[in-house]
Amino acid sequence: MKLGKSSFNTPLLFILPTLFVIVGFWIAPAVTSVYLSLTDPNNNFVGLDNYIKALTDVYFQRSITASLLYMGGNVAISVLIALIMSFLMNNVRGEQYVAATWFLPWMFSTVMAGLMFSWLFNPSFGLINAILLKLGIIDMPILWLSSYPEAMITIIIAGVWGACAFGSLVILSGLKSIPNEIINSAKLEVPHFLSMFRHIYFPWIKGQVILFATLQTIWTLQEYGLPLALTSGGPGGRTAFIFYYVYKEGFLSMKFNLAAAQGFISVLFISLFIIVYTKVVKPTEIYSR
Amino acid sequence: MRFRDFFKPVLMLILILVFLFPFLYGLLISFKPLSYIRMPVLDFSFKRVFSLDGFTLDKYAKVLLSSDFPRYVLNTSIVFVLTSVIVIPLSFFCGYTLARYRTAFHGYFRMLLYAVMMIPVLPALFTLYKWISMLGLYDTHLGLALLYSVGSIPFSAFLLENTIKAIPPEVEQQARVDGCGTIGRMLRIVLPLSAPGIGAVAITLLVSVWNEVFTAIIFTANRAKTVQVGLADFVARGYTDYSAQAAALVVASLPMIVLIIIGYKQLIRAMTGGLKGH
């Protein structure tokens, strides 16, 4: 469909302000940051030194490992719980109210999630340790936030808490797209839920599961609020996820050049997953966070 | 079959309660004096916590009357309004262009928006930090709003593109026959008809601006400090008054809760607004 007669100038005029904003606040600073990453603080060109320094830095390697572990744990558990919940929610009476209540954690920032879990998991005053002690499961308080792997477990729990709701709504939309006749006739022939799941449900919701898993992968690799509010990256930088670590290197230690290099390494890294996303998901399917 | 009919809702309620618990616990301790909740785990009294003993509004008074927190709420609201003022017109123009024109640069522009939406801005922030400071926009509402705008325009543009595509072109065609120019059609016909889409954009902006912390913590110090940065400060400063933290958190969660209560359906439509075929 075409409405405008002067088909080139008018639309260009419409998008010009946006192009201006994108060039000014996205492309130009990114390009300048490339230069930043290739120089030292005194503006001398140092080639790839910052990149080499970044990649050989034990703490940066540790932050990549931490992000990957967090991603793996978070995505696996979130998808599982989201799947279970979407099946439980489907066709329940008052489904919309159930879904709205269930959706609440997703509306909170990860800083807020981190705060809530810091009250529960505080080793000396928190409710979780108190309950475990009372039940006799442990006889010494567990250092949830400052020992490893406990800190990682806590942070994954807090991350999963905020992520599941969105996943189950995405999967639920897939469940809703299955025609009733298919389910009804299948129920007569395939009585067992697991085989029903494999042959009837899964083919219909596969796309939604993959969509949620890839989005969640990209989002968890950019996680930042949880270490900020929960563990401060401890113990020994083992929960300092990439973004948190680069933020600290850049803005707290003021090592802009090194941090720019680290930033580009992490963006390249995340871009691998974004490419997967664009391959498996049609680029027109877009969710915001 | 009967077993499953019973089992499904029960399991569902348990899951929901488990997931709501952290927030409900926060709500509970926000009404408690510190001595009622900050007990060493070895002699933790569940009765003291899970009862209405010591009910008090002191912490809310502290957060709302004698802390900077209301100012952070105001700051975040100002940033939200400024971001909307920038994003909504720009993304409306983009959405209109994407929906109604076929031009040479169409594909490239869509790809650019898509790249801005997906690729993290992290490395650019180091340069932006210098530039924003040079422009005198460090620690200002406008500076933060501009930074948020870049990230928000693509999604909003795609959302409005879908909204505008759903408006029958014949409506516009008719106006054109009646002598209405492009801008006139856009403002008098398309704009009012895309009101739901614009509402959806405003909702996603509210949620994202309200919850954003990464950019805010870098680009604000005091004057324009946002709610989430204020919350993160509790941890950074080793502030241990859980009750006051909880009261602040409850205050910070109110807009989101209100959003869920009054507009869950719109909210979901907004969040998944760029998705086609549903």
Side-chain angles (χ1 to χ4, degrees):
Chain A
M1 227 261 347
K2 209 175 108 180
L3 278 170
K5 227 189 225 166
S6 52
S7 57
F8 193 75
N9 291 330
T10 326
L12 190 65
L13 216 63
F14 287 158
I15 63 167
L16 209 58
T18 301
L19 283 178
F20 189 74
V21 172
I22 290 178
V23 170
F25 288 89
W26 202 77
I27 296 177
V31 172
T32 314
S33 283
V34 174
Y35 172 76
L36 208 60
S37 74
L38 298 173
T39 52
D40 70 2
N42 304 318
N43 259 335
N44 302 314
F45 187 79
V46 293
L48 291 176
D49 275 13
N50 285 321
Y51 288 86
I52 294 164
K53 214 187 276 174
L55 288 171
T56 48
D57 172 12
V58 179
Y59 283 96
F60 186 61
Q61 293 168 356
R62 211 174 260 185
S63 77
I64 292 180
T65 318
S67 280
L68 283 176
L69 280 173
Y70 172 69
M71 178 199 92
N74 184 314
V75 173
I77 302 171
S78 303
V79 168
L80 186 69
I81 296 181
L83 258 177
I84 295 174
M85 194 58 192
S86 62
F87 273 89
L88 293 177
M89 256 189 325
N90 196 13
N91 297 329
V92 146
R93 202 182 300 161
E95 189 185 304
Q96 198 195 322
Y97 301 100
V98 172
T101 318
W102 174 246
F103 201 60
L104 193 66
W106 202 74
M107 299 288 284
F108 294 160
S109 72
T110 47
V111 169
M112 288 162 80
L115 268 183
M116 289 180 225
F117 281 85
S118 75
W119 305 326
L120 291 172
F121 283 87
N122 184 296
S124 14
F125 307 104
L127 187 67
I128 300 290
N129 268 349
I131 291 173
L132 293 177
L133 282 166
K134 195 72 129 202
L135 294 175
I137 296 172
I138 53 173
D139 31 59
M140 280 292 287
I142 296 177
L143 300 173
W144 288 107
L145 303 175
S146 53
S147 61
Y148 196 81
E150 284 86 347
M152 182 62 87
I153 294 171
T154 312
I155 222 166
I156 288 177
I157 294 174
V160 165
W161 179 78
C164 291
F166 179 69
S168 46
L169 290 180
V170 172
I171 297 170
L172 189 62
S173 77
L175 282 178
K176 295 263 175 244
S177 69
I178 310 176
N180 273 331
E181 305 85 65
I182 293 189
I183 295 185
N184 289 338
S185 57
K187 265 184 182 158
L188 297 173
E189 287 162 31
V190 209
H192 196 264
F193 178 78
L194 281 181
S195 56
M196 181 91 176
F197 177 80
R198 236 188 94 196
H199 299 292
I200 311 294
Y201 290 117
F202 193 69
W204 283 84
I205 58 172
K206 201 171 81 186
Q208 276 77 8
V209 173
I210 293 173
L211 173 67
F212 172 58
T214 11
L215 277 174
Q216 191 58 19
T217 304
I218 296 169
W219 288 335
T220 46
L221 285 175
Q222 298 174 45
E223 183 52 68
Y224 164 80
L226 287 175
L228 184 73
L230 202 51
T231 61
S232 305
R238 283 194 169 79
T239 58
F241 303 149
I242 303 175
F243 270 46
Y244 181 74
Y245 183 71
V246 175
Y247 155 75
K248 272 177 71 173
E249 286 286 284
F251 293 103
L252 298 185
S253 315
M254 285 305 185
K255 291 185 244 172
F256 273 32
N257 306 79
L258 178 62
Q262 291 169 337
F264 278 112
I265 294 171
S266 49
V267 166
L268 282 179
F269 189 64
I270 293 170
S271 298
L272 295 178
F273 293 93
I274 296 176
I275 291 167
V276 175
Y277 173 85
T278 47
K279 292 275 181 250
V280 295
V281 182
K282 270 177 282 158
T284 46
E285 296 186 1
I286 291 138
Y287 283 98
S288 83
R289 165 118 222 197
Chain B
M1 208 57 202
R2 206 173 283 160
F3 172 71
R4 199 196 285 172
D5 286 346
F6 170 77
F7 179 72
K8 251 178 83 166
V10 169
L11 189 64
M12 185 185 77
L13 284 179
I14 292 174
L15 256 175
I16 288 180
L17 278 179
V18 168
F19 268 72
L20 284 189
F21 182 75
F23 181 67
L24 295 177
Y25 185 69
L27 195 63
L28 180 73
I29 66 177
S30 71
F31 291 110
K32 294 259 176 177
L34 200 53
S35 59
Y36 277 76
I37 52 155
R38 203 176 155 85
M39 295 169 279
V41 280
L42 286 166
D43 41 18
F44 199 90
S45 161
F46 291 92
K47 204 169 153 269
R48 268 166 91 88
V49 175
F50 293 102
S51 64
L52 285 177
D53 293 358
F55 178 90
T56 170
L57 290 172
D58 281 2
K59 300 298 174 182
Y60 284 95
K62 188 176 169 189
V63 165
L64 293 174
L65 302 176
S66 59
S67 81
D68 280 338
F69 207 71
R71 204 162 54 82
Y72 303 156
V73 173
L74 181 69
N75 285 340
T76 316
S77 314
I78 296 173
V79 173
F80 162 65
V81 171
L82 286 175
T83 311
S84 308
V85 167
I86 300 169
V87 169
I88 291 176
L90 293 191
S91 54
F92 178 73
F93 281 120
C94 292
Y96 186 85
T97 310
L98 289 172
R100 289 288 196 250
Y101 290 97
R102 286 282 163 270
T103 56
F105 58 82
H106 218 84
Y108 297 110
F109 184 57
R110 193 184 292 277
M111 227 151 73
L112 178 68
L113 288 181
Y114 190 61
V116 173
M117 192 170 70
M118 295 305 293
I119 301 173
V121 74
L122 178 64
L125 288 178
F126 300 104
T127 303
L128 279 172
Y129 183 78
K130 293 181 173 174
W131 290 2
I132 290 277
S133 308
M134 266 182 341
L135 290 169
L137 290 174
Y138 176 75
D139 198 16
T140 60
H141 305 103
L142 181 64
L144 203 53
L146 278 168
L147 292 165
Y148 286 161
S149 299
V150 195
S152 310
I153 286 175
F155 177 78
S156 313
F158 291 138
L159 203 154
L160 286 172
E161 180 198 353
N162 285 347
T163 312
I164 293 169
K165 265 188 181 156
I167 301 170
E170 290 76 28
V171 183
E172 271 190 80
Q173 207 77 304
Q174 187 58 46
R176 193 163 156 230
V177 172
D178 294 343
C180 194
T182 312
I183 301 281
R185 286 202 306 269
M186 224 159 129
L187 297 182
R188 290 199 208 124
I189 295 163
V190 182
L191 187 66
L193 286 175
S194 26
I198 291 172
V201 168
I203 289 177
T204 52
L205 286 179
L206 178 61
V207 176
S208 62
V209 170
W210 193 263
N211 287 328
E212 209 283 337
V213 70
F214 191 62
T215 316
I217 207 167
I218 294 170
F219 289 91
T220 64
N222 174 36
R223 232 180 333 156
K225 191 183 270 185
T226 65
V227 170
Q228 302 298 329
V229 181
L231 287 174
D233 271 359
F234 287 139
V235 186
R237 296 189 180 154
Y239 191 70
T240 51
D241 186 345
Y242 288 178
S243 306
Q245 286 182 18
L249 183 125
V250 171
V251 172
S253 68
L254 284 179
M256 298 299 113
I257 293 175
V258 170
L259 210 52
I260 280 202
I261 293 172
I262 63 170
Y264 174 74
K265 264 195 164 160
Q266 286 85 335
L267 182 75
I268 298 304
R269 202 172 301 147
M271 289 293 166
T272 58
L275 185 86
K276 289 177 175 175
H278 289 277

